[in-house]
Amino acid sequence: MNFLTALVTFENLHEVRRLCHWGPVIALTVIAVCSSMAILDSIIWYWPLDTTGGSFNFIMLINWSVLILYNYFNAMFVGPGYIPLGWKPEKEEDTKYLQFCRMCQGYKAPRSHHCRKCNRCVMKMDHHCPWINNCCGHQNHAYFTSFLLLAPLGCSHAAFIFIMTMYTQLYERISFGWSTVKIDMSAVRRFQPIMPFSVPAFAATLFALGLALGTTIAVGMLFFIQMKVILRNKTSVEAWIEEKAKDRIQYYQTGEEFIFPYDLGRRWENFKQVFTWSGSPEGDGIQWPIHAKCHQHTLTIEQLKQKADKRVRSIQYRVVEDYNGACCPLSKGLNTFFRTPCTEEPRIAGARLRGWFPRRCVEKCHYDTAVTSAMTSETSSEEKKVK
């Protein structure tokens, strides 16, 4: 298995620390609760050694659990694939089409983005998923999407077992009155199961049913979102970039025609870029198959245009009060807790500092300080020449 290979390699042993995070703890707890309760309830409801149907039901239940855990751990430990530190393209002239990452001290390859959590530039980054405590990207996209498919299927099967167990166990214990419904858990059933179905067992089954149904709905929606972008050979980040590209062209009326470069035109071809029989995705994570009317840097050039447009439309603020970065700044007044923060962009005081600050600590500049400073320097240089 790929994730076992990653774990036994000495330099990758630190990857085990990814389990020590609230996301994997919650995800594995939900899997453990639903799987264990489904196995116990299937023994109560449909003893697997008596009939062929019971055996098939039990085998499928074990199969779901194994497949879910296999794809989950592969998505976590195989990882998305990272751009090498200090990477630059083979052709020096291609650097003008790429963004430079100051954190990795290298250029961002096409389709790669820097992840703040992983602190690396990720190949074909889709998003950072807290449930696997890792990024979803080039190398683990298929495993992650398979997990999103298998988890709702397994939970649906488990939910069916929970419902049938409660129905069969409570059917002979429920009595209906004119205005009441009584459940006698102490009543002796006609056919006693191997394991008793007591009040704690009923409560645990009901709780597991809620987890299974919630997981089916939530993770099922994520699966359809992922398949929507995969069939167009996009990522969630690239879908957002494409939307901004269309807005930019419409706003400035440039007359450009933006064609997403990685959509190969056919859904099956796009599907095969992620899902393969070997489990390893197509490509090396740097060079990509592209549309006939595009080239390798079509999307990166559009990103540079959007960055330039963002700088033009940015608003500058001047600091008027000191702020120490406290989470609960009581000294800045109660309005701080009811108003949105001013920014979390990494352009505070010219340094790459991320965070937020209360609005009362700054005031909006009514002029462009960059342009003003440039004009001032030009004026002073001309004065020196005159003197």
Side-chain angles (χ1 to χ4, degrees):
M1 293 183 181
N2 293 340
F3 75 90
L4 290 179
T5 305
L7 284 178
V8 297
T9 307
F10 180 76
E11 61 266 20
N12 290 332
L13 286 178
H14 67 278
E15 292 291 326
V16 180
R17 292 182 299 178
R18 293 191 181 277
L19 291 169
C20 303
H21 183 263
W22 63 265
V25 169
I26 294 176
L28 291 174
T29 300
V30 172
I31 294 172
V33 170
C34 291
S35 298
S36 58
M37 286 303 303
I39 291 173
L40 294 176
D41 281 2
S42 64
I43 294 174
I44 296 174
W45 166 58
Y46 208 171
W47 177 241
L49 300 181
D50 286 345
T51 61
T52 304
S55 300
F56 180 78
N57 173 71
F58 197 79
I59 291 172
M60 284 301 299
L61 190 60
I62 300 297
N63 182 62
W64 291 129
S65 301
V66 172
L67 289 177
I68 288 170
L69 289 175
Y70 172 77
N71 285 279
Y72 179 83
F73 284 124
N74 267 312
M76 178 186 294
F77 292 122
V78 171
Y82 302 106
I83 301 296
L85 296 174
W87 180 86
K88 61 180 180 180
E90 296 179 358
K91 298 180 180 179
E92 188 67 26
E93 60 268 21
D94 289 343
T95 57
K96 62 183 179 181
Y97 304 127
L98 303 173
Q99 299 181 70
F100 185 79
C101 179
R102 289 184 287 181
M103 302 299 293
C104 298
Q105 288 298 303
Y107 288 92
K108 297 180 182 179
R111 310 192 78 175
S112 68
H113 302 275
H114 187 85
C115 175
R116 302 181 192 179
K117 299 292 184 180
C118 299
N119 201 29
R120 289 290 298 273
C121 286
V122 177
M123 294 179 178
K124 191 189 171 186
M125 179 178 174
D126 187 88
H127 68 287
H128 184 91
C129 178
W131 305 112
I132 62 173
N133 194 22
N134 207 341
C135 276
C136 174
H138 175 56
Q139 294 183 3
N140 65 349
H141 204 173
Y143 293 120
F144 180 77
T145 309
S146 299
F147 166 73
L148 296 183
L149 170 64
L150 293 167
L153 292 178
C155 286
S156 299
H157 186 191
F160 177 75
I161 293 175
F162 298 148
I163 292 172
M164 292 305 299
T165 302
M166 289 189 292
Y167 173 77
T168 56
Q169 294 300 310
L170 298 179
Y171 180 76
E172 296 179 2
R173 298 172 176 175
I174 299 178
S175 59
F176 296 92
W178 286 105
S179 60
T180 60
V181 177
K182 294 183 179 180
I183 302 177
D184 185 7
M185 297 299 294
S186 62
V188 179
R189 295 187 68 249
R190 185 179 307 171
F191 300 101
Q192 283 294 330
I194 295 177
M195 297 176 59
F197 191 75
S198 58
V199 174
F202 171 74
T205 301
L206 197 60
F207 176 73
L209 176 62
L211 286 180
L213 293 177
T215 303
T216 301
I217 296 172
V219 180
M221 291 176 63
L222 293 177
F223 169 73
F224 283 110
I225 292 173
Q226 281 296 311
M227 286 305 301
K228 183 178 179 180
V229 294
I230 287 175
L231 293 177
R232 299 174 183 175
N233 202 12
K234 298 179 184 178
T235 64
S236 301
V237 177
E238 290 168 351
W240 174 238
I241 293 174
E242 183 183 26
E243 183 178 345
K244 290 195 295 183
K246 295 177 180 178
D247 291 340
R248 182 186 62 82
I249 293 171
Q250 183 179 7
Y251 180 80
Y252 289 106
Q253 297 294 316
T254 59
E256 302 174 58
E257 181 187 6
F258 179 78
I259 300 175
F260 184 75
Y262 307 114
D263 189 350
L264 302 182
R266 298 177 60 187
R267 292 185 177 182
W268 177 243
E269 294 298 324
N270 293 335
F271 181 84
K272 291 192 297 183
Q273 293 299 309
V274 176
F275 295 95
T276 60
W277 288 111
S278 64
S280 301
E282 295 286 344
D284 59 358
I286 295 178
Q287 297 287 331
W288 306 94
I290 54 174
H291 191 277
K293 296 182 179 180
C294 303
H295 55 84
Q296 287 291 331
H297 301 103
T298 297
L299 191 67
T300 59
I301 292 174
E302 174 58 33
Q303 289 177 262
L304 292 174
K305 291 180 180 179
Q306 292 179 12
K307 291 284 185 181
D309 180 51
K310 187 175 183 179
R311 294 190 189 98
V312 170
R313 294 190 291 171
S314 63
I315 301 174
Q316 296 197 3
Y317 290 83
R318 184 170 64 91
V319 177
V320 294
E321 288 187 22
D322 292 334
Y323 174 55
N324 60 3
C327 295
C328 299
L330 296 175
S331 61
K332 301 303 178 182
L334 292 176
N335 282 336
T336 304
F337 298 92
F338 300 101
R339 300 181 66 185
T340 57
C342 207
T343 182
E344 60 175 12
E345 290 293 326
R347 297 175 181 85
I348 302 174
R352 196 171 182 80
L353 300 174
R354 298 186 184 274
W356 66 277
F357 48 88
R359 287 184 175 272
R360 62 174 288 177
C361 295
V362 295
E363 65 178 15
K364 186 183 296 185
C365 296
H366 298 288
Y367 55 89
D368 193 333
T369 55
V371 175
T372 304
S373 60
M375 293 177 62
T376 304
S377 61
E378 291 178 1
T379 304
S380 60
S381 62
E382 288 179 0
E383 290 178 353
K384 289 180 181 179
K385 289 180 181 179
V386 172
K387 291 180 179 179

